Amino acid sequence: ASAGVVLDVIFRLFLGETVGLERFLQQVSTPISLGIPLGLVWAYYGNWFKLEAQSNRSPGLQAGIKRLYYYVLAPIGLAATVIGLSLLVSFLLDVLLASGAVWADSLRARLSGALATLLVGLPLWLMAWRPMQIEALAVGEAGDHARQSIVRRVYLYLVIFASVIGGMISAVALAFRLLNAVLGGDLPSDFLSSTLNSLKFLLIFAGLLVYHILTLRKDGGRAADSLSARYRDFAVLVFEREGSGFGQRLLDLLSRQAAGLPVAIQPLEQPIPDGAEAARVVVLPADLALNPPEALRLWLNAYEGQRVVAPSAFPGWWWAGGIPAHPEVQAAQIVRQLADGETPRQSAGLPAWTVVAYIFAALFALQLLFVLATLGISLVTGF
Protein backbone atom coordinates (compact mmCIF):
# COMPACT_ATOMS: atom_id res chain seq x y z
CA ALA A 1 0.00 0.00 0.00
CA SER A 2 2.81 2.40 0.83
CA ALA A 3 4.58 1.60 -2.43
CA GLY A 4 1.35 2.16 -4.32
CA VAL A 5 0.91 5.66 -2.85
CA VAL A 6 4.51 6.61 -3.70
CA LEU A 7 4.13 5.27 -7.25
CA ASP A 8 0.91 7.20 -7.65
CA VAL A 9 2.67 10.47 -6.77
CA ILE A 10 5.59 9.69 -9.10
CA PHE A 11 3.29 8.79 -11.99
CA ARG A 12 1.38 12.04 -11.60
CA LEU A 13 4.67 13.92 -11.92
CA PHE A 14 5.60 12.03 -15.08
CA LEU A 15 2.11 12.68 -16.50
CA GLY A 16 2.55 16.44 -16.20
CA GLU A 17 1.38 17.45 -12.75
CA THR A 18 3.27 20.45 -11.43
CA VAL A 19 4.26 19.92 -7.81
CA GLY A 20 6.94 21.75 -5.88
CA LEU A 21 9.61 19.91 -3.94
CA GLU A 22 8.02 20.74 -0.60
CA ARG A 23 4.59 19.49 -1.73
CA PHE A 24 6.15 16.35 -3.20
CA LEU A 25 7.93 15.55 0.06
CA GLN A 26 4.72 16.09 2.00
CA GLN A 27 2.87 13.63 -0.24
CA VAL A 28 5.47 10.84 -0.01
CA SER A 29 6.64 11.37 3.58
CA THR A 30 3.82 9.41 5.25
CA PRO A 31 3.88 6.32 2.97
CA ILE A 32 7.69 6.20 3.06
CA SER A 33 7.77 6.57 6.85
CA LEU A 34 5.35 3.64 7.07
CA GLY A 35 6.75 1.56 4.22
CA ILE A 36 10.39 1.50 5.29
CA PRO A 37 9.88 0.13 8.83
CA LEU A 38 7.21 -2.29 7.63
CA GLY A 39 9.55 -3.47 4.88
CA LEU A 40 12.31 -4.01 7.42
CA VAL A 41 9.94 -5.95 9.66
CA TRP A 42 8.88 -8.08 6.68
CA ALA A 43 12.50 -8.75 5.71
CA TYR A 44 13.56 -9.55 9.30
CA TYR A 45 10.75 -11.93 10.12
CA GLY A 46 10.76 -13.30 6.58
CA ASN A 47 14.37 -14.40 7.11
CA TRP A 48 13.47 -16.08 10.40
CA PHE A 49 10.48 -17.66 8.72
CA LYS A 50 12.72 -19.25 6.09
CA LEU A 51 15.16 -20.46 8.74
CA GLU A 52 12.36 -22.01 10.79
CA ALA A 53 10.90 -23.71 7.73
CA GLN A 54 14.29 -25.10 6.69
CA SER A 55 15.05 -26.33 10.22
CA ASN A 56 12.20 -28.83 10.00
CA ARG A 57 13.46 -32.25 9.04
CA SER A 58 10.36 -33.19 7.07
CA PRO A 59 10.60 -31.92 3.46
CA GLY A 60 6.83 -32.21 3.14
CA LEU A 61 6.26 -29.98 6.17
CA GLN A 62 8.82 -27.46 4.88
CA ALA A 63 6.97 -27.24 1.59
CA GLY A 64 3.64 -26.98 3.39
CA ILE A 65 4.80 -24.03 5.51
CA LYS A 66 6.09 -22.13 2.47
CA ARG A 67 2.91 -23.02 0.58
CA LEU A 68 0.74 -21.48 3.29
CA TYR A 69 2.80 -18.27 3.17
CA TYR A 70 2.54 -17.91 -0.61
CA TYR A 71 -1.18 -18.69 -0.72
CA VAL A 72 -1.80 -15.93 1.83
CA LEU A 73 0.02 -13.41 -0.38
CA ALA A 74 -1.48 -14.60 -3.68
CA PRO A 75 -5.09 -13.43 -3.12
CA ILE A 76 -3.84 -10.02 -1.92
CA GLY A 77 -1.82 -9.55 -5.08
CA LEU A 78 -4.62 -10.91 -7.26
CA ALA A 79 -7.19 -8.54 -5.72
CA ALA A 80 -4.89 -5.54 -6.26
CA THR A 81 -4.24 -6.66 -9.84
CA VAL A 82 -7.96 -6.95 -10.60
CA ILE A 83 -8.64 -3.52 -9.07
CA GLY A 84 -5.80 -1.93 -11.03
CA LEU A 85 -6.91 -3.55 -14.28
CA SER A 86 -10.49 -2.43 -13.67
CA LEU A 87 -9.38 1.15 -13.00
CA LEU A 88 -7.23 1.15 -16.13
CA VAL A 89 -10.04 -0.12 -18.36
CA SER A 90 -12.43 2.44 -16.85
CA PHE A 91 -9.93 5.19 -17.63
CA LEU A 92 -9.61 4.03 -21.25
CA LEU A 93 -13.39 3.88 -21.66
CA ASP A 94 -13.81 7.40 -20.30
CA VAL A 95 -11.05 8.73 -22.55
CA LEU A 96 -12.73 7.20 -25.60
CA LEU A 97 -16.34 8.00 -24.69
CA ALA A 98 -16.37 11.06 -22.42
CA SER A 99 -15.52 14.02 -24.62
CA GLY A 100 -15.89 16.49 -21.74
CA ALA A 101 -13.39 14.81 -19.45
CA VAL A 102 -10.54 17.10 -18.38
CA TRP A 103 -7.06 15.62 -18.14
CA ALA A 104 -5.84 17.83 -15.32
CA ASP A 105 -9.00 17.50 -13.23
CA SER A 106 -9.49 13.74 -13.04
CA LEU A 107 -7.97 11.69 -15.85
CA ARG A 108 -4.35 12.15 -14.77
CA ALA A 109 -5.10 11.08 -11.20
CA ARG A 110 -7.16 8.09 -12.39
CA LEU A 111 -4.44 6.87 -14.77
CA SER A 112 -1.69 7.25 -12.17
CA GLY A 113 -3.81 5.45 -9.55
CA ALA A 114 -4.61 2.61 -11.95
CA LEU A 115 -0.97 2.13 -12.98
CA ALA A 116 0.27 2.31 -9.39
CA THR A 117 -2.26 -0.28 -8.19
CA LEU A 118 -1.51 -2.58 -11.11
CA LEU A 119 2.27 -2.31 -10.74
CA VAL A 120 2.04 -3.11 -7.02
CA GLY A 121 -0.48 -5.96 -7.26
CA LEU A 122 0.73 -7.82 -10.35
CA PRO A 123 4.34 -8.43 -9.19
CA LEU A 124 3.08 -9.55 -5.77
CA TRP A 125 0.65 -12.03 -7.33
CA LEU A 126 3.28 -13.36 -9.75
CA MET A 127 5.84 -13.64 -6.93
CA ALA A 128 3.43 -15.76 -4.90
CA TRP A 129 1.57 -17.64 -7.64
CA ARG A 130 4.35 -18.67 -10.05
CA PRO A 131 6.36 -20.76 -7.53
CA MET A 132 3.17 -22.51 -6.43
CA GLN A 133 2.14 -23.19 -10.02
CA ILE A 134 5.60 -24.52 -10.90
CA GLU A 135 5.46 -26.75 -7.82
CA ALA A 136 2.00 -28.04 -8.76
CA LEU A 137 3.07 -28.79 -12.35
CA ALA A 138 6.10 -30.79 -11.20
CA VAL A 139 6.17 -34.52 -11.88
CA GLY A 140 6.63 -36.81 -8.90
CA GLU A 141 5.66 -37.03 -5.28
CA ALA A 142 6.35 -33.34 -4.55
CA GLY A 143 4.01 -32.30 -7.34
CA ASP A 144 1.35 -34.71 -6.10
CA HIS A 145 1.46 -33.24 -2.60
CA ALA A 146 1.34 -29.69 -3.98
CA ARG A 147 -1.73 -30.43 -6.13
CA GLN A 148 -3.54 -32.17 -3.28
CA SER A 149 -2.70 -29.48 -0.73
CA ILE A 150 -5.75 -28.25 1.20
CA VAL A 151 -4.33 -24.70 1.12
CA ARG A 152 -4.14 -24.72 -2.70
CA ARG A 153 -7.65 -26.09 -3.00
CA VAL A 154 -9.04 -23.51 -0.59
CA TYR A 155 -7.34 -20.73 -2.58
CA LEU A 156 -8.64 -21.97 -5.93
CA TYR A 157 -12.17 -22.55 -4.65
CA LEU A 158 -12.28 -19.12 -3.00
CA VAL A 159 -11.18 -17.38 -6.20
CA ILE A 160 -13.68 -19.41 -8.23
CA PHE A 161 -16.42 -18.58 -5.72
CA ALA A 162 -15.57 -14.86 -5.81
CA SER A 163 -15.46 -14.92 -9.62
CA VAL A 164 -18.86 -16.60 -9.84
CA ILE A 165 -20.45 -14.13 -7.42
CA GLY A 166 -18.78 -11.16 -9.10
CA GLY A 167 -19.77 -12.40 -12.55
CA MET A 168 -23.36 -12.93 -11.46
CA ILE A 169 -23.60 -9.42 -10.02
CA SER A 170 -22.01 -7.92 -13.13
CA ALA A 171 -24.36 -9.89 -15.38
CA VAL A 172 -27.38 -8.75 -13.37
CA ALA A 173 -26.23 -5.11 -13.55
CA LEU A 174 -25.66 -5.40 -17.31
CA ALA A 175 -29.02 -7.08 -17.90
CA PHE A 176 -30.76 -4.46 -15.74
CA ARG A 177 -29.33 -1.59 -17.78
CA LEU A 178 -30.19 -3.23 -21.10
CA LEU A 179 -33.74 -4.15 -20.08
CA ASN A 180 -34.30 -0.75 -18.51
CA ALA A 181 -33.23 0.93 -21.75
CA VAL A 182 -35.41 -1.35 -23.90
CA LEU A 183 -38.50 -1.08 -21.71
CA GLY A 184 -38.04 2.57 -20.77
CA GLY A 185 -37.62 3.84 -24.30
CA ASP A 186 -35.26 6.72 -23.47
CA LEU A 187 -31.54 6.07 -23.25
CA PRO A 188 -29.77 7.92 -20.44
CA SER A 189 -26.77 10.02 -21.39
CA ASP A 190 -24.35 7.63 -19.69
CA PHE A 191 -25.93 4.46 -21.11
CA LEU A 192 -22.96 3.43 -23.26
CA SER A 193 -20.31 4.09 -20.65
CA SER A 194 -22.26 2.40 -17.82
CA THR A 195 -23.03 -0.59 -20.02
CA LEU A 196 -19.41 -0.99 -21.05
CA ASN A 197 -18.30 -0.69 -17.44
CA SER A 198 -20.69 -3.48 -16.42
CA LEU A 199 -19.43 -5.55 -19.35
CA LYS A 200 -15.87 -4.83 -18.20
CA PHE A 201 -16.52 -6.35 -14.78
CA LEU A 202 -18.25 -9.33 -16.36
CA LEU A 203 -15.31 -10.04 -18.67
CA ILE A 204 -12.74 -9.66 -15.87
CA PHE A 205 -14.60 -12.03 -13.56
CA ALA A 206 -15.20 -14.45 -16.44
CA GLY A 207 -11.48 -14.47 -17.22
CA LEU A 208 -10.62 -15.17 -13.59
CA LEU A 209 -13.21 -17.93 -13.46
CA VAL A 210 -12.05 -19.66 -16.63
CA TYR A 211 -8.36 -19.49 -15.70
CA HIS A 212 -8.80 -20.91 -12.21
CA ILE A 213 -11.28 -23.59 -13.30
CA LEU A 214 -8.79 -24.73 -15.95
CA THR A 215 -6.06 -24.73 -13.29
CA LEU A 216 -8.23 -26.82 -10.98
CA ARG A 217 -9.09 -29.26 -13.78
CA LYS A 218 -5.42 -29.55 -14.74
CA ASP A 219 -4.58 -30.33 -11.12
CA GLY A 220 -7.28 -33.00 -11.07
CA GLY A 221 -6.10 -34.55 -14.33
CA ARG A 222 -2.46 -34.71 -13.25
CA ALA A 223 -3.44 -36.07 -9.85
CA ALA A 224 -5.61 -38.77 -11.46
CA ASP A 225 -2.79 -39.81 -13.81
CA SER A 226 -0.29 -39.91 -10.96
CA LEU A 227 -2.62 -41.91 -8.71
CA SER A 228 -3.46 -44.35 -11.51
CA ALA A 229 0.23 -45.06 -12.04
CA ARG A 230 0.75 -45.42 -8.29
CA TYR A 231 -2.28 -47.67 -7.83
CA ARG A 232 -1.23 -50.09 -10.56
CA ASP A 233 1.82 -51.05 -8.50
CA PHE A 234 0.03 -51.18 -5.14
CA ALA A 235 -1.45 -54.68 -4.76
CA VAL A 236 -3.80 -55.31 -1.82
CA LEU A 237 -4.53 -58.74 -0.36
CA VAL A 238 -7.64 -59.18 1.81
CA PHE A 239 -8.02 -62.21 4.08
CA GLU A 240 -11.50 -63.30 5.16
CA ARG A 241 -13.47 -66.26 6.34
CA GLU A 242 -15.28 -67.66 3.37
CA GLY A 243 -18.86 -66.39 3.21
CA SER A 244 -18.31 -63.55 5.72
CA GLY A 245 -18.63 -60.86 3.03
CA PHE A 246 -15.81 -58.81 4.58
CA GLY A 247 -13.64 -58.92 1.48
CA GLN A 248 -16.44 -57.97 -0.91
CA ARG A 249 -17.54 -55.02 1.24
CA LEU A 250 -13.96 -53.76 1.39
CA LEU A 251 -13.57 -54.28 -2.37
CA ASP A 252 -16.69 -52.20 -3.05
CA LEU A 253 -15.42 -49.37 -0.86
CA LEU A 254 -11.96 -49.35 -2.45
CA SER A 255 -13.44 -49.40 -5.96
CA ARG A 256 -15.15 -46.09 -5.13
CA GLN A 257 -12.34 -44.47 -3.14
CA ALA A 258 -9.33 -45.70 -5.14
CA ALA A 259 -10.47 -46.92 -8.54
CA GLY A 260 -7.87 -49.07 -10.28
CA LEU A 261 -6.31 -50.42 -7.09
CA PRO A 262 -5.62 -54.16 -7.61
CA VAL A 263 -7.40 -55.98 -4.77
CA ALA A 264 -7.39 -59.76 -4.30
CA ILE A 265 -9.65 -61.59 -1.81
CA GLN A 266 -8.11 -64.61 -0.14
CA PRO A 267 -10.54 -66.94 1.71
CA LEU A 268 -8.98 -68.47 4.80
CA GLU A 269 -10.17 -71.96 3.81
CA GLN A 270 -8.11 -71.91 0.60
CA PRO A 271 -4.31 -72.21 0.39
CA ILE A 272 -2.37 -68.97 0.08
CA PRO A 273 -1.10 -68.77 -3.51
CA ASP A 274 2.55 -68.29 -4.45
CA GLY A 275 3.47 -64.65 -5.00
CA ALA A 276 0.97 -63.35 -2.43
CA GLU A 277 3.86 -61.89 -0.45
CA ALA A 278 4.32 -59.33 -3.24
CA ALA A 279 1.21 -57.50 -2.02
CA ARG A 280 2.01 -54.02 -0.65
CA VAL A 281 -0.60 -54.23 2.10
CA VAL A 282 -2.59 -57.01 3.76
CA VAL A 283 -6.00 -56.43 5.33
CA LEU A 284 -7.42 -58.75 7.99
CA PRO A 285 -10.47 -58.70 10.23
CA ALA A 286 -9.49 -58.58 13.90
CA ASP A 287 -10.48 -62.18 14.66
CA LEU A 288 -7.99 -63.48 12.08
CA ALA A 289 -5.26 -61.10 13.25
CA LEU A 290 -5.69 -62.10 16.91
CA ASN A 291 -6.10 -65.83 16.41
CA PRO A 292 -4.77 -66.80 12.98
CA PRO A 293 -4.52 -70.40 11.82
CA GLU A 294 -1.02 -71.83 11.80
CA ALA A 295 -0.51 -71.41 8.05
CA LEU A 296 -1.63 -67.78 8.12
CA ARG A 297 0.45 -67.06 11.24
CA LEU A 298 3.62 -68.36 9.60
CA TRP A 299 2.85 -66.46 6.41
CA LEU A 300 2.28 -63.22 8.34
CA ASN A 301 5.53 -63.66 10.27
CA ALA A 302 7.41 -63.81 6.97
CA TYR A 303 5.44 -61.01 5.32
CA GLU A 304 7.33 -57.68 5.14
CA GLY A 305 4.60 -55.33 3.90
CA GLN A 306 2.00 -53.21 5.65
CA ARG A 307 -0.78 -54.79 7.72
CA VAL A 308 -4.22 -53.24 8.29
CA VAL A 309 -6.53 -54.75 10.92
CA ALA A 310 -10.25 -54.01 10.83
CA PRO A 311 -11.84 -54.12 14.33
CA SER A 312 -14.46 -56.82 14.71
CA ALA A 313 -16.21 -58.64 17.53
CA PHE A 314 -14.20 -61.49 19.04
CA PRO A 315 -15.06 -63.41 22.23
CA GLY A 316 -13.01 -62.27 25.21
CA TRP A 317 -11.54 -59.22 23.46
CA TRP A 318 -12.71 -55.65 24.02
CA TRP A 319 -11.73 -52.66 21.93
CA ALA A 320 -11.06 -49.29 23.58
CA GLY A 321 -13.54 -46.89 22.06
CA GLY A 322 -15.83 -49.69 20.89
CA ILE A 323 -16.17 -51.45 17.56
CA PRO A 324 -17.35 -49.20 14.70
CA ALA A 325 -20.53 -50.18 12.91
CA HIS A 326 -18.66 -50.48 9.61
CA PRO A 327 -15.00 -51.36 10.28
CA GLU A 328 -14.42 -51.85 6.55
CA VAL A 329 -14.82 -48.09 6.06
CA GLN A 330 -11.84 -47.32 8.31
CA ALA A 331 -9.80 -50.12 6.76
CA ALA A 332 -10.53 -48.82 3.24
CA GLN A 333 -9.55 -45.29 4.29
CA ILE A 334 -6.22 -46.51 5.68
CA VAL A 335 -5.49 -48.56 2.55
CA ARG A 336 -6.27 -45.58 0.31
CA GLN A 337 -3.98 -43.32 2.36
CA LEU A 338 -1.17 -45.87 2.14
CA ALA A 339 -1.71 -46.16 -1.62
CA ASP A 340 -1.59 -42.34 -1.90
CA GLY A 341 1.74 -42.30 -0.09
CA GLU A 342 0.30 -40.64 3.01
CA THR A 343 0.67 -41.47 6.67
CA PRO A 344 -2.63 -43.06 7.80
CA ARG A 345 -4.79 -40.84 9.98
CA GLN A 346 -7.28 -42.72 12.09
CA SER A 347 -8.77 -39.80 14.05
CA ALA A 348 -12.48 -39.39 13.69
CA GLY A 349 -12.47 -35.59 13.54
CA LEU A 350 -10.68 -33.01 11.47
CA PRO A 351 -7.29 -31.66 12.54
CA ALA A 352 -7.51 -28.43 14.50
CA TRP A 353 -5.63 -26.41 11.89
CA THR A 354 -8.02 -27.64 9.19
CA VAL A 355 -11.00 -26.48 11.22
CA VAL A 356 -9.36 -23.08 11.74
CA ALA A 357 -8.62 -22.84 8.01
CA TYR A 358 -12.24 -23.63 7.16
CA ILE A 359 -13.49 -20.99 9.62
CA PHE A 360 -11.23 -18.30 8.20
CA ALA A 361 -12.13 -19.32 4.66
CA ALA A 362 -15.84 -19.01 5.47
CA LEU A 363 -15.35 -15.60 7.10
CA PHE A 364 -13.32 -14.39 4.13
CA ALA A 365 -15.95 -15.68 1.71
CA LEU A 366 -18.73 -13.90 3.62
CA GLN A 367 -16.81 -10.64 3.69
CA LEU A 368 -16.02 -10.93 -0.02
CA LEU A 369 -19.65 -11.71 -0.79
CA PHE A 370 -20.72 -8.61 1.13
CA VAL A 371 -18.25 -6.40 -0.78
CA LEU A 372 -19.35 -7.80 -4.14
CA ALA A 373 -23.01 -7.44 -3.26
CA THR A 374 -22.41 -3.80 -2.28
CA LEU A 375 -20.62 -3.24 -5.58
CA GLY A 376 -23.50 -4.78 -7.51
CA ILE A 377 -26.07 -2.67 -5.69
CA SER A 378 -24.07 0.48 -6.38
CA LEU A 379 -23.85 -0.39 -10.06
CA VAL A 380 -27.57 -0.96 -10.34
CA THR A 381 -28.76 1.99 -8.25
CA GLY A 382 -26.05 4.43 -9.28
CA PHE A 383 -25.15 5.31 -5.67
Side-chain angles (χ1 to χ4, degrees), residues 28-223:
V28 301
S29 60
T30 299
I32 288 179
S33 64
L34 289 174
I36 290 178
L38 289 176
L40 293 175
V41 169
W42 188 6
Y44 176 77
Y45 283 102
N47 181 60
W48 278 108
F49 176 81
K50 292 179 182 179
L51 293 176
E52 289 290 340
Q54 294 171 359
S55 66
N56 195 290
R57 296 181 180 180
S58 171
L61 189 55
Q62 288 183 22
I65 294 173
K66 294 179 181 178
R67 199 176 297 130
L68 177 63
Y69 173 72
Y70 281 120
Y71 281 121
V72 168
L73 292 180
I76 301 174
L78 182 60
T81 302
V82 170
I83 294 172
L85 181 61
S86 174
L87 294 174
L88 184 59
V89 175
S90 296
F91 165 81
L92 295 176
L93 290 175
D94 286 347
V95 169
L96 296 174
L97 299 177
S99 57
V102 180
W103 172 258
D105 290 344
S106 61
L107 293 182
R108 179 194 294 124
R110 291 177 57 187
L111 179 58
S112 63
L115 292 177
T117 306
L118 191 60
L119 291 181
V120 167
L122 185 59
L124 177 61
W125 179 65
L126 292 176
M127 182 196 74
W129 175 248
R130 287 192 64 205
M132 297 298 94
Q133 191 68 350
I134 293 173
E135 182 187 43
L137 294 176
V139 179
E141 187 173 351
D144 293 340
H145 286 298
R147 287 186 290 270
Q148 297 172 14
S149 167
I150 184 67
V151 180
R152 179 177 176 86
R153 292 182 182 180
V154 167
Y155 168 78
L156 290 175
Y157 280 121
L158 279 178
V159 175
I160 291 173
F161 171 78
S163 302
V164 169
I165 299 299
M168 290 174 60
I169 294 175
S170 303
V172 169
L174 179 61
F176 171 80
R177 297 186 187 281
L178 294 176
L179 290 175
N180 191 44
V182 171
L183 299 176
D186 295 331
L187 294 180
S189 58
D190 63 341
F191 172 76
L192 183 58
S193 61
S194 61
T195 301
L196 290 178
N197 271 292
S198 298
L199 181 62
K200 168 201 69 177
F201 283 112
L202 180 60
L203 293 177
I204 290 176
F205 284 120
L208 284 176
L209 179 64
V210 170
Y211 175 76
H212 287 88
I213 285 181
L214 290 178
T215 301
L216 190 62
R217 292 185 61 184
K218 187 178 294 185
D219 283 358
R222 287 178 174 267

Side-chain angles (χ1 to χ4, degrees), residues 358-381:
Y358 284 153
I359 292 174
F360 276 104
L363 293 175
F364 176 77
L366 288 175
Q367 184 177 8
L368 187 60
L369 179 61
F370 175 77
V371 172
L372 293 174
T374 305
L375 177 62
I377 294 173
S378 66
L379 289 175
V380 173
T381 60

Side-chain angles (χ1 to χ4, degrees), residues 242-261:
E242 197 166 13
S244 65
F246 171 80
Q248 187 59 48
R249 290 192 296 271
L250 185 63
L251 178 61
D252 294 339
L253 289 170
L254 289 175
S255 64
R256 294 194 296 267
Q257 297 184 21
L261 198 67

